[in-house]
Amino acid sequence: MIPIKTYTPAKRSITAIFLVALLILIIGTGMLMALALLVKKTSIVLLLLFYAAAALTLIFGVPRYFKFTKLTISSEEICYRSGFLSDNREYMPTDSVKSVTSIVTPLSSLTGLNFLMINALGAKIIVPFMRRSDCLDAVNSINELIKSRNQNAPQQG
């Protein structure tokens, strides 16, 4: 039996998200400026709407996601709560977990871009932006649950 463990996203991944958003804004601006050569007034309105949507997402959406997101692992269930625009909750009984995969990126200690995928028959929970140590700890905890379940199962033969 493992104790209840709770994991939250790595705050340093916010920087990576803002850099990707900046890159998208630069590319989008270039595309809308190319459109401005064809249609003058419409493209300026589209550019302003594009910047307003990006600003609202970056100012309100990203901090809200990092405030509400958490992964809780207990011996009975796995619960993943996230909230970018709405409050989303995913539950998975630990008895149904078939495998767990971790994706640890290079420079993850700087970017916080580590991912955890929890697989079951017909279901999957993907947990982004984990700390490297949390990601590896969660994988070990879930693997421990799977091994203990397999050891306690009756032997067929």
Side-chain angles (χ1 to χ4, degrees):
M1 290 284 199
I2 65 165
I4 296 175
K5 296 183 178 182
T6 302
Y7 305 99
T8 57
K11 302 289 188 220
R12 61 177 61 118
S13 59
I14 293 175
T15 305
I17 291 171
F18 276 97
L19 289 175
V20 168
L22 180 65
L23 181 66
I24 291 171
L25 283 173
I26 291 170
I27 292 170
T29 300
M31 291 172 59
L32 288 172
M33 289 301 199
L35 183 64
L37 297 174
L38 300 173
V39 183
K40 302 274 185 213
K41 294 179 184 177
T42 307
S43 62
I44 293 173
V45 171
L46 287 176
L47 187 62
L48 292 175
L49 288 174
F50 182 63
Y51 280 128
L56 287 174
T57 301
L58 292 174
I59 292 170
F60 297 112
V62 173
R64 185 180 191 285
Y65 174 82
F66 281 89
K67 181 179 179 184
F68 290 109
T69 300
K70 70 178 179 177
L71 172 70
T72 305
I73 299 173
S74 70
S75 57
E76 291 84 29
E77 69 178 4
I78 297 171
C79 176
Y80 176 60
R81 179 181 179 204
S82 65
F84 187 72
L85 296 175
S86 64
D87 188 21
N88 303 321
R89 295 174 191 228
E90 297 180 56
Y91 295 96
M92 183 181 292
T94 55
D95 292 342
S96 66
V97 175
K98 296 298 178 192
S99 67
V100 61
T101 305
S102 64
I103 301 171
V104 179
T105 59
L107 303 174
S108 63
S109 59
L110 299 174
T111 61
L113 296 178
N114 301 303
F115 303 88
L116 183 70
M117 292 190 298
I118 305 166
N119 303 301
L121 291 176
K124 181 183 286 191
I125 295 177
I126 300 173
V127 183
F129 310 124
M130 293 186 75
R131 290 178 197 88
R132 181 185 178 105
S133 60
D134 287 352
C135 188
L136 297 176
D137 184 52
V139 167
N140 291 335
S141 297
I142 294 171
N143 279 332
E144 182 181 309
L145 287 170
I146 293 171
K147 286 178 187 176
S148 68
R149 180 181 68 213
N150 290 339
Q151 288 174 353
N152 294 336
Q155 299 294 325
Q156 296 179 357

